Amino acid sequence: DARVTQTPRHKVTEMGQEVTMRCQPILGHNTVFWYRQTMMQGLELLAYFRNRAPLDDSGMPKDRFSAEMPDATLATLKIQPSEPRDSAVYFCASRRTLNTEAFFGQGTRLTVV
Amino acid sequence: DQQVKQNSPSLSVQEGRISILNCDYTNSMFDYFLWYKKYPAEGPTFLISISSIKDKNEDGRFTVFLNKSAKHLSLHIVPSQPGDSAVYFCAASYNDMRFGAGTRLTVKP
């Protein structure tokens, strides 16, 4: 049963600390997305990769967020330093190719205190 | 900028009746549109999609309609069931995939 796996599921951290969220996309999918769920804007696109190459990260605060895909089985989203306003649920999704549905992980609920 | 908009935060319908969820988009480059359903503490799950070359796609109780000239799509659920109660997200894709803010559907028994 192929699925997108995100770790950790929950993270509580203090302001100023580094946070790393990980995502294992479905094998064979060439596109990986990172989204943040907010009440006002729904699912906000932060960054995405195709064939491991970053195509767009304009949705991320550049000074503190970074997204990488070191290999085809791992995508990471880092926040350094974290701030209370970063508290949200972060979702990773992958899709096989253009014009196909994306499959989502269960999300990482981040709380920055 | 919000390229995909769902202007109704919530919708309540009676079991057995039709639910109609609406979505508008601004970018004419979008060529593939999707609806997702989300339950609390879970990731969104894919429901139905439509290519820009079509104006209707049907899958069981779910039908998506696309009006390209109006840059509008809608999801019809007939008949609505209590288990359909969830948040529904509209998405539009060209290279990336953009989502609306979601509509919370409540189906009352």
Side-chain angles (χ1 to χ4, degrees):
Chain A
D1 183 24
R3 64 179 68 185
V4 176
T5 304
Q6 288 187 249
T7 55
R9 290 292 312 277
H10 303 274
K11 176 73 175 179
V12 180
T13 191
E14 291 186 348
M15 182 173 63
Q17 296 296 305
E18 177 179 299
V19 174
T20 299
M21 291 170 269
R22 293 177 174 80
C23 169
Q24 181 177 357
I26 293 174
L27 190 64
H29 283 196
N30 73 357
T31 304
V32 174
F33 301 97
W34 281 106
Y35 292 96
R36 175 169 62 184
Q37 184 179 12
T38 64
M39 291 299 294
M40 295 303 294
Q41 294 194 320
L43 289 165
E44 180 186 9
L45 178 65
L46 298 175
Y48 79 105
F49 298 78
R50 183 175 301 134
N51 297 320
R52 295 179 52 205
L55 292 190
D56 187 359
D57 61 0
S58 59
M60 296 197 308
K62 294 291 189 308
D63 55 338
R64 300 184 300 108
F65 285 58
S66 62
E68 294 181 347
M69 201 161 174
D71 62 62
T73 66
L74 178 64
T76 62
L77 180 66
K78 291 185 182 180
I79 309 175
Q80 168 62 21
S82 58
E83 297 181 2
R85 60 180 166 153
D86 301 328
S87 298
V89 181
Y90 292 80
F91 288 103
C92 172
S94 70
R95 72 179 177 189
R96 185 172 45 83
T97 187
L98 287 172
N99 294 352
T100 59
E101 69 269 27
F103 293 82
F104 279 78
Q106 291 192 291
T108 294
R109 180 174 293 277
L110 174 65
T111 303
V112 183
V113 298
Chain B
D1 63 337
Q2 198 74 0
Q3 298 184 43
V4 180
K5 296 179 183 178
Q6 294 177 257
N7 291 320
S8 298
S10 63
L11 174 68
S12 181
V13 299
Q14 209 67 34
E15 180 179 5
R17 305 295 289 267
I18 184 171
S19 295
I20 300 177
L21 296 98
N22 293 301
C23 178
D24 297 293
Y25 61 96
T26 58
N27 189 343
S28 58
M29 296 296 289
F30 289 137
D31 60 2
Y32 191 67
F33 304 89
L34 311 93
W35 285 94
Y36 282 79
K37 179 178 180 179
K38 187 182 181 305
Y39 294 117
E42 294 184 9
T45 54
F46 169 72
L47 199 53
I48 191 169
S49 63
I50 187 167
S51 165
S52 60
I53 63 173
K54 296 185 175 181
D55 54 18
K56 177 183 174 181
N57 188 27
E58 205 169 340
D59 183 2
R61 297 185 298 114
F62 302 91
T63 303
V64 55
F65 294 92
L66 175 62
N67 182 334
K68 287 188 293 293
S69 60
K71 293 191 179 68
H72 177 84
L73 66 156
S74 61
L75 175 68
H76 292 208
I77 307 174
V78 183
S80 302
Q81 299 173 353
D84 296 329
S85 297
V87 176
Y88 288 77
F89 289 99
C90 158
S93 177
Y94 175 50
N95 285 315
D96 60 21
M97 188 176 292
R98 304 275 172 169
F99 283 78
T103 297
R104 180 177 300 279
L105 173 66
T106 303
V107 181
K108 297 180 178 178

